[in-house]
Amino acid sequence: MKTRQEARHRRHFRVRRRVHGTKERPRMAVFRSNRYIYVQVIDDVSGHTLVAASSQEKSLRDRTLTVTTAAEVGRLIAGRSKAAGITSVVFDRGGFAYHGRLKALADAAREEGLEF
């Protein structure tokens, strides 16, 4: 019997076999816990995080993790990415279902002009 976490790790590794970020088109990796959501834009060639945002930011820390909070994190990461000169990314859902908070984050980032 596998745990939910082991099943998510298997799904994530399966996705990571195909998803790879470069300097021109980095990988936008999302991790969702029960309380927070974290997003990083990563250049896998050099192994560096270019930009990051989370729901633990000072402006969002006191709020619970809802669809609207996840959407604000998506807008935040899109703004920081555009400021860093990143316009296009590869989306890595981290083995999570593309639904709810994850979908809200992705849609908000797209609305702010990030392409994926």
Side-chain angles (χ1 to χ4, degrees):
M1 186 84 177
K2 290 183 177 41
T3 64
R4 289 175 60 135
Q5 188 176 15
E6 287 170 341
R8 185 189 73 78
H9 280 288
R10 286 177 59 94
R11 285 191 303 272
H12 189 208
F13 290 137
R14 201 165 47 233
V15 169
R16 285 287 289 125
R17 270 185 268 165
R18 283 177 259 136
V19 175
H20 186 76
T22 61
K23 189 171 180 107
E24 296 79 30
R25 194 161 182 225
R27 175 172 58 99
M28 186 167 96
V30 179
F31 177 76
R32 180 186 55 79
S33 71
N34 286 335
R35 291 183 66 187
Y36 304 108
I37 194 161
Y38 307 89
V39 186
Q40 293 180 326
V41 176
I42 304 165
D43 175 9
D44 287 320
V45 175
S46 64
H48 286 86
T49 298
L50 306 172
V51 247
S54 77
S55 58
Q56 282 193 315
E57 306 272 336
K58 233 176 196 179
S59 60
L60 302 172
R61 189 176 298 157
D62 56 342
R63 300 174 60 180
T64 58
L65 181 59
T66 61
V67 171
T68 56
T69 307
E72 286 189 33
V73 173
R75 283 190 280 279
L76 194 61
I77 194 74
R80 289 179 183 174
S81 296
K82 287 171 74 176
I86 301 164
T87 56
S88 180
V89 296
V90 179
F91 189 69
D92 176 10
R93 60 188 176 91
F96 298 102
Y98 186 78
H99 175 73
R101 293 169 284 187
L102 203 70
K103 185 176 187 298
L105 184 142
D107 290 343
R110 280 192 192 103
E111 287 172 8
E112 291 295 315
L114 203 57
E115 295 177 17
F116 56 94

